Amino acid sequence: MIDYGLGGKVALVTGAGGGIGRAAALVFARSGAAVMVSDVNEAGCAETVGMIEAAGGKAAFQRCDVSQADQVKALVAATVSMLGGLDCAFNNAGINRVTDDQYDDEIWARDIGVNLTGVMMCMREESKVMLERGGGAIVNTASINGLVGNGAQPAYTAAKHGVVGLSRHGALRWAKAGIRVNAVCPGVIETPMTAPLTQNAEFRQVLDAMTPMGRMGAASEIAEAVVWLCSPAASFVTGHAMVVDGGATAT
Ligand SMILES: NC(=O)c1ccc[n+]([C@@H]2O[C@H](COP(=O)([O-])OP(=O)(O)OC[C@H]3O[C@@H](n4cnc5c(N)ncnc54)[C@H](O)[C@@H]3O)[C@@H](O)[C@H]2O)c1
């Protein structure tokens, strides 16, 4: 188990009520950071906080719907007031809905609102605190659908491409101010998001076969990359879209 050297630091994780966000919150805490655990899933967050505290770490909780500007502002303010600052932010909350009509206006507005605008609003508020502190590190969750096309889901694909672009923008905007901004691009990962698909044994085999390594990834395999990107070990890494996909986009 690697300690990424974040003792004394404060990390904020959205979408931390389960899946990749929870896994990252646990690695941040294992590496010494105090963690603000946030999600719309309050029960999931309570479990994440309990897991961090049981392992001897420090965590706080604030509910936040990342598509709501006032809630994002309150989340960042609560992080500073409850944990003393903000050094690392993992903007990870997301939705991925499988529906027949992906060109539906409501689907488009909601998917872009959570998956892209939510990330922008988090970056906007987090950067204000980090600029005052003289630096920080932000990682945004994109997807391999942020790098290659997905014929089934226009809003998700557009949002995740947007997250990659937004991350590169932030990297350039704040490079001299000491704020690094990167994106992580997971492949097919076993989380509550993909659970409805993996429950069908036949479809599970299809999902496993989609990845050259022959299996889905684990949330912890994304979490290790995210916390490394936020750590001093990645001090010259910014504007990068890190693929963690078992080779899915290598072809
Ligand atoms: N699982 C995969 O295969 C995969 C692949 C590529 C990218 N991703 C991305 O990884 C991120 C995490 O997904 P996951 O796989 O851990 O799934 P997940 O469903 O377990 O986690 C997503 C979390 O975001 C929360 N959330 C949803 N809408 C929210 C909102 N408006 N405000 C705050 N929180 C909200 C959910 O409650 C949930 O806990 C997402 O951005 C997803 O798009 C996942």
Side-chain angles (χ1 to χ4, degrees), residues 4-229:
Y4 292 97
L6 297 174
K9 303 290 187 189
V10 176
L12 161 60
V13 181
T14 69
I20 293 167
R22 170 179 290 167
L26 294 174
V27 179
F28 274 120
R30 187 186 81 202
S31 299
V35 186
M36 173 56 83
V37 171
S38 184
D39 202 300
V40 290
N41 176 358
E42 297 187 28
C45 284
E47 282 180 18
T48 306
V49 169
M51 292 165 85
I52 290 172
E53 290 177 345
K58 184 175 179 185
F61 161 68
Q62 168 99 0
R63 186 187 190 282
C64 173
D65 178 339
V66 297
S67 69
Q68 303 301 312
D70 55 340
Q71 293 185 30
V72 172
K73 208 167 186 172
L75 170 62
V76 172
T79 305
V80 174
S81 66
M82 294 165 85
L83 299 176
L86 178 61
D87 303 291
C88 309
F90 181 33
N91 301 320
N92 164 76
I95 51 174
N96 183 0
R97 291 171 299 169
V98 179
T99 59
D100 290 337
D101 183 8
Q102 289 278 336
Y103 276 90
D104 176 80
D105 287 339
E106 189 277 326
I107 298 249
W108 177 268
R110 186 75 187 138
D111 279 17
I112 297 291
V114 174
N115 292 335
L116 179 56
T117 310
V119 171
M120 179 279 290
M121 294 194 297
C122 286
M123 281 175 58
R124 182 171 67 196
E125 299 307 321
E126 292 156 359
S127 63
K128 291 176 191 166
V129 178
M130 290 177 178
L131 286 169
E132 276 181 17
R133 276 169 91 77
I138 296 172
V139 174
N140 300 319
T141 304
S143 165
I144 54 173
N145 289 145
L147 299 170
V148 298
N150 165 344
Q153 296 171 299
Y156 188 79
T157 306
K160 294 302 189 180
H161 273 71
V163 169
V164 171
L166 192 57
S167 304
R168 291 178 176 145
H169 153 80
L172 296 174
R173 183 177 181 104
W174 296 308
K176 288 198 171 59
I179 303 175
R180 296 183 298 103
V181 185
N182 293 287
V184 67
C185 300
V188 188
I189 309 300
E190 198 156 6
T191 68
M193 185 177 277
T194 48
L197 306 174
T198 52
Q199 275 158 11
N200 177 319
E202 265 180 51
F203 200 70
R204 171 63 194 250
Q205 284 184 339
V206 172
L207 284 176
D208 284 339
M210 277 167 64
T211 300
M213 287 179 76
R215 65 171 177 86
M216 294 174 72
S220 61
E221 291 175 296
I222 306 303
E224 298 288 337
V226 168
V227 182
W228 178 79
L229 282 168

